[in-house]
Amino acid sequence: MDQKIVNEIQELKQKRKAVILAHNYQLPEIQDLADFCGDSLGLSIEASKTDAEVIVFCGVRFMAETAKILSPDKKVVMPDPWAGCPMADMITAEQLCGLKGKCRDALVVCYVNSTAAVKAESDYCCTSANAVEVVNSLPRDRRIIFVPDQHLGRFVEEKTGRELILWPGYCPTHALIGEDDIREARQEHPAAVVMVHPECSEPVKHMADALLSTGQMLKFVKASPAKEFIVATEVGLIHPLKKVRPDAQFIPAGSRAVCPNMKKTTVEKVLASLTNLEYEVTVPKDIRLMAKRSLERMVEILPEK
Ligand code: 13P
Ligand code: SF4
């Protein structure tokens, strides 16, 4: 990594009273220069309590929007304005309203991987770390619409024993992890523990020893006596996993699960972002206020330890 650029970033960060937040799938050099790395829930909590004046969000758009909704008085910038999440774009607010119209009694839970407009039309938001707790907290006599990730939705159905009204969205990156990838990794590493993200398909999830969000995977390996782990999620997570357990071996389940959007943020773009305070993320006030309710309910419901 170019140390000169990193020094410039650190200097500018002080000057701008900025904080750099990075998702666990970001490039290693971005994670290394961030003030806080985490999963979607951890980043949302951090964004809601930081006293910095500027948040530089190294992740994808829905995450930066979430930070803006929770901290409307702060300037939120993304180093690459085109870093989006294709799953978040698989449902529009209009489509959600259409579904709500057909199921009038239902409560709506949306995965945080959704647009601000979809959050505004939802009652509760959740991440993969607290989706089960969020659904369990809802009255049993109410039907629940769950959008947009059908795979996380099915995981929640299994864990809660409740039937959900699902939307057919999915993560194109986690869809690249197949049963053969797990099988091959297991053949070479029979003693390895298989960790799978809930965004993976059902057959892959059924091969898991543990189903965990990225933040939960980091906690899990820290506490585990195992020396080998097969990791079925985006490959960026291998970097923080190695930091937590330098003595352990982490085997990616295949090497295709690379989210192109998560890799758009580079050190050079972070420097430009801090220099020019670009690219600002804004959310219209009416949408922001409505989305805030569902996000605040999410931040209050923490996953079980
Ligand atoms: P988590 O880090 O919350 O597990 O989310 C995974 C993801 O795909 C974010 O885009
Ligand atoms: Fe979206 Fe999947 Fe990329 Fe996460 S890994 S940002 S869910 S496309």
Side-chain angles (χ1 to χ4, degrees):
M1 190 167 22
D2 186 337
Q3 197 52 44
K4 195 168 154 272
I5 299 189
V6 175
N7 293 345
E8 274 182 70
I9 289 174
Q10 300 304 350
E11 261 173 48
L12 262 175
K13 213 179 65 181
Q14 307 285 336
K15 203 169 132 196
R16 302 278 193 217
K17 294 191 173 58
V19 67
I20 302 179
L21 305 184
H23 187 265
N24 289 328
Y25 295 159
Q26 288 287 293
L27 291 168
E29 55 270 30
I30 301 293
Q31 296 195 33
D32 291 347
L33 62 77
D35 297 294
F36 183 87
C37 293
D39 65 4
S40 307
L41 183 61
L43 292 171
S44 301
I45 294 171
E46 203 55 36
S48 69
K49 63 177 199 207
T50 181
D51 50 17
E53 287 174 16
V54 175
I55 299 176
V56 179
F57 214 110
C58 303
V60 291
R61 179 160 290 272
F62 76 80
M63 297 179 175
E65 279 182 356
T66 299
K68 184 67 190 176
I69 295 163
L70 292 170
S71 299
D73 299 332
K74 297 185 171 53
K75 195 183 260 290
V76 178
V77 291
M78 284 179 80
D80 187 313
W82 304 110
C85 169
M87 166 155 62
D89 295 329
M90 285 182 191
I91 186 164
T92 62
E94 291 70 29
Q95 286 171 314
L96 177 55
C97 288
L99 187 58
K100 281 165 67 171
K102 286 184 206 150
C103 318
R104 290 195 180 274
D105 63 315
L107 289 167
V108 180
V109 178
C110 73
Y111 190 22
V112 72
N113 298 41
S114 52
T115 62
V118 164
K119 288 184 179 80
E121 288 298 334
S122 302
D123 299 299
Y124 288 80
C125 197
C126 72
T127 74
S128 55
N130 67 357
V132 172
E133 284 80 2
V134 168
V135 168
N136 267 334
S137 75
L138 304 180
R140 297 220 53 112
D141 59 348
R142 294 290 294 275
R143 291 198 296 167
I144 298 168
I145 294 172
F146 190 94
V147 298
D149 187 8
Q150 57 176 308
H151 299 300
L152 179 64
R154 293 213 182 87
F155 164 74
V156 173
E157 284 190 319
E158 238 172 72
K159 291 277 171 191
T160 61
R162 294 180 74 161
E163 200 181 321
L164 306 176
I165 301 160
L166 297 176
W167 187 259
Y170 64 94
C171 163
T173 297
H174 285 84
L176 296 173
I177 302 172
E179 292 160 85
D180 282 349
D181 294 314
I182 309 275
R183 236 175 259 127
E184 277 163 30
R186 247 195 191 143
Q187 250 161 23
E188 280 180 37
H189 304 270
V193 175
V194 180
M195 302 189 295
V196 175
H197 195 278
E199 284 177 18
C200 287
S201 68
E202 282 52 60
V204 170
K205 283 203 288 256
H206 285 139
M207 297 171 90
D209 295 311
L211 286 167
L212 305 160
S213 76
T214 62
Q216 289 169 336
M217 285 188 193
L218 287 162
K219 282 193 198 131
F220 180 84
V221 302
K222 204 172 177 184
S224 167
K227 293 271 187 224
E228 290 178 305
F229 300 88
I230 294 165
V231 186
T233 192
E234 210 274 349
V235 295
L237 188 70
I238 303 283
H239 179 69
L241 285 170
K242 279 186 186 158
K243 278 192 181 173
V244 170
R245 282 285 308 276
D247 61 311
Q249 198 187 347
F250 298 99
I251 306 109
S255 48
R256 294 186 306 277
V258 181
C259 175
N261 285 285
M262 282 285 182
K263 309 305 182 205
K264 283 183 178 159
T265 306
T266 61
V267 175
E268 288 76 13
K269 287 180 194 173
V270 173
L271 179 59
S273 181
L274 273 165
T275 308
N276 308 319
L277 289 182
E278 67 191 13
Y279 294 88
E280 189 169 3
V281 175
T282 55
V283 179
K285 194 175 174 196
D286 51 339
I287 291 182
R288 177 165 59 72
L289 293 177
M290 281 164 75
K292 194 164 182 257
R293 290 172 324 173
S294 61
L295 275 167
E296 281 175 345
R297 289 178 187 143
M298 169 188 91
V299 172
E300 280 162 18
I301 302 174
L302 291 175
E304 276 170 27
K305 285 276 174 289

Short mmCIF file of all heavy atoms in Angstrom, two decimals, residues 23-25 38-43 60 62-63 85 87 111-113 127-129 171 174 197-199 212-216 233-234 237 259 262, ligand 1:
data_model
loop_
_atom_site.label_atom_id
_atom_site.label_comp_id
_atom_site.label_asym_id
_atom_site.label_seq_id
_atom_site.Cartn_x
_atom_site.Cartn_y
_atom_site.Cartn_z
N HIS A 23 -17.05 -1.93 5.39
CA HIS A 23 -17.67 -3.25 5.56
C HIS A 23 -16.60 -4.34 5.47
O HIS A 23 -15.55 -4.15 4.85
CB HIS A 23 -18.75 -3.48 4.48
CG HIS A 23 -19.52 -4.74 4.71
ND1 HIS A 23 -19.19 -5.93 4.09
CD2 HIS A 23 -20.56 -5.02 5.54
CE1 HIS A 23 -20.02 -6.87 4.52
NE2 HIS A 23 -20.87 -6.34 5.40
N ASN A 24 -16.90 -5.47 6.09
CA ASN A 24 -15.97 -6.61 6.14
C ASN A 24 -15.60 -7.17 4.76
O ASN A 24 -14.72 -8.01 4.67
CB ASN A 24 -16.59 -7.75 6.95
CG ASN A 24 -16.65 -7.45 8.43
OD1 ASN A 24 -15.78 -6.76 8.95
ND2 ASN A 24 -17.67 -7.95 9.13
N TYR A 25 -16.31 -6.79 3.70
CA TYR A 25 -15.99 -7.29 2.34
C TYR A 25 -15.08 -6.34 1.57
O TYR A 25 -14.77 -6.59 0.41
CB TYR A 25 -17.27 -7.47 1.51
CG TYR A 25 -18.25 -8.51 1.97
CD1 TYR A 25 -19.58 -8.45 1.58
CD2 TYR A 25 -17.86 -9.58 2.78
CE1 TYR A 25 -20.50 -9.41 1.98
CE2 TYR A 25 -18.78 -10.53 3.18
CZ TYR A 25 -20.10 -10.44 2.79
OH TYR A 25 -21.01 -11.38 3.17
N GLY A 38 -16.89 -3.63 10.08
CA GLY A 38 -17.91 -4.47 10.70
C GLY A 38 -18.91 -5.00 9.71
O GLY A 38 -18.80 -4.80 8.49
N ASP A 39 -19.92 -5.71 10.25
CA ASP A 39 -21.02 -6.20 9.42
C ASP A 39 -22.07 -5.08 9.33
O ASP A 39 -21.89 -4.00 9.91
CB ASP A 39 -21.59 -7.52 9.96
CG ASP A 39 -22.24 -7.39 11.32
OD1 ASP A 39 -22.35 -6.28 11.87
OD2 ASP A 39 -22.67 -8.44 11.86
N SER A 40 -23.15 -5.35 8.61
CA SER A 40 -24.12 -4.29 8.37
C SER A 40 -24.71 -3.75 9.68
O SER A 40 -24.92 -2.54 9.81
CB SER A 40 -25.26 -4.81 7.49
OG SER A 40 -24.73 -5.39 6.33
N LEU A 41 -24.96 -4.64 10.64
CA LEU A 41 -25.54 -4.19 11.91
C LEU A 41 -24.53 -3.34 12.68
O LEU A 41 -24.85 -2.25 13.16
CB LEU A 41 -25.99 -5.39 12.76
CG LEU A 41 -26.67 -5.04 14.08
CD1 LEU A 41 -27.94 -4.24 13.84
CD2 LEU A 41 -27.01 -6.30 14.88
N GLY A 42 -23.30 -3.84 12.77
CA GLY A 42 -22.25 -3.10 13.49
C GLY A 42 -22.03 -1.72 12.88
O GLY A 42 -21.88 -0.73 13.60
N LEU A 43 -22.02 -1.64 11.57
CA LEU A 43 -21.80 -0.36 10.90
C LEU A 43 -22.98 0.58 11.14
O LEU A 43 -22.79 1.78 11.33
CB LEU A 43 -21.59 -0.57 9.40
CG LEU A 43 -20.28 -1.29 9.01
CD1 LEU A 43 -20.28 -1.64 7.53
CD2 LEU A 43 -19.05 -0.45 9.33
N VAL A 60 -21.39 -0.29 0.22
CA VAL A 60 -22.28 -0.06 -0.92
C VAL A 60 -23.37 0.95 -0.53
O VAL A 60 -23.54 1.26 0.65
CB VAL A 60 -22.87 -1.39 -1.47
CG1 VAL A 60 -21.77 -2.23 -2.14
CG2 VAL A 60 -23.56 -2.18 -0.38
N PHE A 62 -26.62 1.22 -0.10
CA PHE A 62 -27.66 1.14 0.94
C PHE A 62 -27.06 1.35 2.33
O PHE A 62 -27.74 1.83 3.24
CB PHE A 62 -28.43 -0.20 0.85
CG PHE A 62 -27.70 -1.40 1.39
CD1 PHE A 62 -27.64 -1.67 2.75
CD2 PHE A 62 -27.05 -2.27 0.53
CE1 PHE A 62 -26.98 -2.79 3.24
CE2 PHE A 62 -26.38 -3.39 1.01
CZ PHE A 62 -26.34 -3.64 2.37
N MET A 63 -25.78 1.00 2.50
CA MET A 63 -25.13 1.18 3.81
C MET A 63 -24.90 2.67 4.09
O MET A 63 -25.12 3.14 5.20
CB MET A 63 -23.79 0.44 3.82
CG MET A 63 -23.94 -1.06 3.67
SD MET A 63 -22.34 -1.88 3.65
CE MET A 63 -22.92 -3.58 3.63
N CYS A 85 -25.85 -2.26 -4.56
CA CYS A 85 -26.07 -3.68 -4.23
C CYS A 85 -27.21 -4.18 -5.14
O CYS A 85 -28.35 -3.74 -5.00
CB CYS A 85 -26.48 -3.83 -2.76
SG CYS A 85 -27.08 -5.49 -2.37
N MET A 87 -28.88 -6.83 -5.11
CA MET A 87 -30.03 -7.40 -4.39
C MET A 87 -30.97 -6.29 -3.89
O MET A 87 -32.19 -6.43 -3.97
CB MET A 87 -29.59 -8.25 -3.20
CG MET A 87 -30.75 -8.55 -2.27
SD MET A 87 -30.61 -9.98 -1.28
CE MET A 87 -29.20 -9.69 -0.30
N TYR A 111 -34.85 -6.52 4.81
CA TYR A 111 -33.41 -6.70 5.02
C TYR A 111 -32.77 -5.34 4.80
O TYR A 111 -33.21 -4.58 3.92
CB TYR A 111 -32.92 -7.73 3.99
CG TYR A 111 -31.52 -8.26 4.16
CD1 TYR A 111 -30.85 -8.23 5.38
CD2 TYR A 111 -30.85 -8.83 3.07
CE1 TYR A 111 -29.57 -8.74 5.51
CE2 TYR A 111 -29.58 -9.36 3.19
CZ TYR A 111 -28.93 -9.29 4.41
OH TYR A 111 -27.67 -9.81 4.53
N VAL A 112 -31.72 -5.03 5.55
CA VAL A 112 -31.07 -3.72 5.42
C VAL A 112 -30.53 -3.52 4.01
O VAL A 112 -30.38 -2.37 3.54
CB VAL A 112 -29.98 -3.57 6.53
CG1 VAL A 112 -28.79 -4.46 6.24
CG2 VAL A 112 -29.56 -2.13 6.71
N ASN A 113 -30.29 -4.61 3.28
CA ASN A 113 -29.88 -4.52 1.87
C ASN A 113 -31.11 -4.15 1.04
O ASN A 113 -31.68 -4.96 0.32
CB ASN A 113 -29.35 -5.87 1.36
CG ASN A 113 -28.11 -6.34 2.08
OD1 ASN A 113 -28.01 -6.20 3.30
ND2 ASN A 113 -27.17 -6.91 1.36
N THR A 127 -30.84 -7.07 9.83
CA THR A 127 -29.65 -7.51 9.10
C THR A 127 -29.59 -9.03 9.25
O THR A 127 -30.42 -9.62 9.96
CB THR A 127 -28.34 -6.90 9.66
OG1 THR A 127 -28.04 -7.55 10.89
CG2 THR A 127 -28.45 -5.41 9.86
N SER A 128 -28.60 -9.66 8.63
CA SER A 128 -28.51 -11.11 8.78
C SER A 128 -28.15 -11.48 10.22
O SER A 128 -28.37 -12.61 10.64
CB SER A 128 -27.49 -11.69 7.79
OG SER A 128 -26.25 -11.06 7.95
N ALA A 129 -27.60 -10.51 10.98
CA ALA A 129 -27.23 -10.81 12.37
C ALA A 129 -28.43 -10.82 13.31
O ALA A 129 -28.40 -11.49 14.34
CB ALA A 129 -26.19 -9.79 12.86
N CYS A 171 -28.75 -12.51 -3.53
CA CYS A 171 -27.44 -11.88 -3.74
C CYS A 171 -26.71 -12.63 -4.86
O CYS A 171 -26.42 -13.82 -4.71
CB CYS A 171 -26.62 -11.93 -2.46
SG CYS A 171 -24.87 -11.62 -2.79
N HIS A 174 -23.35 -14.35 -3.53
CA HIS A 174 -23.50 -15.58 -2.74
C HIS A 174 -24.08 -16.72 -3.59
O HIS A 174 -23.86 -17.89 -3.30
CB HIS A 174 -24.35 -15.32 -1.49
CG HIS A 174 -23.58 -14.58 -0.43
ND1 HIS A 174 -23.46 -13.22 -0.43
CD2 HIS A 174 -22.86 -15.03 0.63
CE1 HIS A 174 -22.70 -12.84 0.59
NE2 HIS A 174 -22.33 -13.93 1.26
N HIS A 197 -22.91 -18.08 5.12
CA HIS A 197 -23.72 -16.87 5.31
C HIS A 197 -25.18 -17.18 4.93
O HIS A 197 -25.42 -17.89 3.94
CB HIS A 197 -23.17 -15.75 4.42
CG HIS A 197 -23.68 -14.40 4.79
ND1 HIS A 197 -24.91 -13.93 4.37
CD2 HIS A 197 -23.15 -13.43 5.57
CE1 HIS A 197 -25.09 -12.71 4.87
NE2 HIS A 197 -24.04 -12.38 5.60
N PRO A 198 -26.15 -16.64 5.66
CA PRO A 198 -27.57 -16.93 5.34
C PRO A 198 -28.01 -16.48 3.95
O PRO A 198 -29.06 -16.90 3.47
CB PRO A 198 -28.35 -16.17 6.42
CG PRO A 198 -27.38 -15.83 7.47
CD PRO A 198 -26.01 -15.83 6.87
N GLU A 199 -27.22 -15.63 3.27
CA GLU A 199 -27.58 -15.23 1.90
C GLU A 199 -27.32 -16.35 0.89
O GLU A 199 -27.72 -16.25 -0.28
CB GLU A 199 -26.79 -13.99 1.47
CG GLU A 199 -27.29 -12.70 2.08
CD GLU A 199 -26.45 -11.49 1.69
OE1 GLU A 199 -25.71 -11.56 0.71
OE2 GLU A 199 -26.54 -10.47 2.40
N LEU A 212 -23.99 -17.95 9.84
CA LEU A 212 -23.61 -16.74 10.56
C LEU A 212 -23.47 -15.53 9.64
O LEU A 212 -23.06 -15.68 8.47
CB LEU A 212 -22.24 -16.97 11.23
CG LEU A 212 -22.11 -18.18 12.16
CD1 LEU A 212 -20.65 -18.56 12.35
CD2 LEU A 212 -22.77 -17.91 13.50
N SER A 213 -23.76 -14.32 10.18
CA SER A 213 -23.46 -13.08 9.45
C SER A 213 -21.94 -12.91 9.46
O SER A 213 -21.23 -13.65 10.17
CB SER A 213 -24.11 -11.89 10.15
OG SER A 213 -23.38 -11.55 11.31
N THR A 214 -21.42 -11.93 8.74
CA THR A 214 -19.95 -11.79 8.71
C THR A 214 -19.40 -11.45 10.10
O THR A 214 -18.37 -11.97 10.51
CB THR A 214 -19.52 -10.72 7.68
OG1 THR A 214 -20.05 -9.45 8.07
CG2 THR A 214 -19.98 -11.07 6.29
N GLY A 215 -20.11 -10.59 10.81
CA GLY A 215 -19.65 -10.22 12.16
C GLY A 215 -19.69 -11.42 13.09
O GLY A 215 -18.80 -11.62 13.93
N GLN A 216 -20.73 -12.24 12.95
CA GLN A 216 -20.84 -13.44 13.79
C GLN A 216 -19.74 -14.44 13.44
O GLN A 216 -19.25 -15.14 14.33
CB GLN A 216 -22.22 -14.06 13.62
CG GLN A 216 -23.33 -13.23 14.25
CD GLN A 216 -24.72 -13.69 13.85
OE1 GLN A 216 -24.91 -14.32 12.81
NE2 GLN A 216 -25.70 -13.37 14.68
N THR A 233 -18.82 -17.24 2.10
CA THR A 233 -19.34 -15.88 1.95
C THR A 233 -18.38 -15.14 1.03
O THR A 233 -17.43 -15.73 0.49
CB THR A 233 -19.53 -15.17 3.31
OG1 THR A 233 -20.28 -13.97 3.11
CG2 THR A 233 -18.21 -14.82 3.98
N GLU A 234 -18.60 -13.83 0.85
CA GLU A 234 -17.73 -13.04 -0.03
C GLU A 234 -16.28 -13.15 0.47
O GLU A 234 -16.03 -13.09 1.69
CB GLU A 234 -18.24 -11.59 0.00
CG GLU A 234 -18.01 -10.81 -1.26
CD GLU A 234 -16.64 -10.15 -1.34
OE1 GLU A 234 -15.93 -10.12 -0.31
OE2 GLU A 234 -16.29 -9.66 -2.41
N LEU A 237 -13.95 -11.34 3.45
CA LEU A 237 -13.98 -11.63 4.89
C LEU A 237 -12.74 -12.40 5.35
O LEU A 237 -12.39 -12.38 6.54
CB LEU A 237 -15.25 -12.42 5.25
CG LEU A 237 -15.45 -12.59 6.76
CD1 LEU A 237 -15.80 -11.27 7.42
CD2 LEU A 237 -16.50 -13.63 7.09
N CYS A 259 -17.70 -9.77 -4.65
CA CYS A 259 -18.74 -8.77 -4.96
C CYS A 259 -18.08 -7.60 -5.68
O CYS A 259 -17.31 -6.85 -5.06
CB CYS A 259 -19.43 -8.30 -3.68
SG CYS A 259 -20.60 -6.96 -4.00
N MET A 262 -18.40 -4.17 -3.96
CA MET A 262 -17.63 -3.97 -2.73
C MET A 262 -16.17 -3.65 -3.04
O MET A 262 -15.46 -3.09 -2.22
CB MET A 262 -17.69 -5.24 -1.86
CG MET A 262 -18.99 -5.37 -1.12
SD MET A 262 -19.01 -4.20 0.27
CE MET A 262 -20.61 -4.60 0.99
P1 13P B 1 -23.38 -8.84 6.83
O1 13P B 1 -21.99 -8.24 6.91
O2 13P B 1 -24.31 -8.04 7.65
O3 13P B 1 -23.36 -10.28 7.17
O4 13P B 1 -23.90 -8.62 5.33
C1 13P B 1 -23.48 -9.32 4.24
C2 13P B 1 -23.69 -8.58 2.98
O5 13P B 1 -23.86 -9.17 1.94
C3 13P B 1 -23.65 -7.14 2.96
O6 13P B 1 -23.84 -6.70 1.68
#
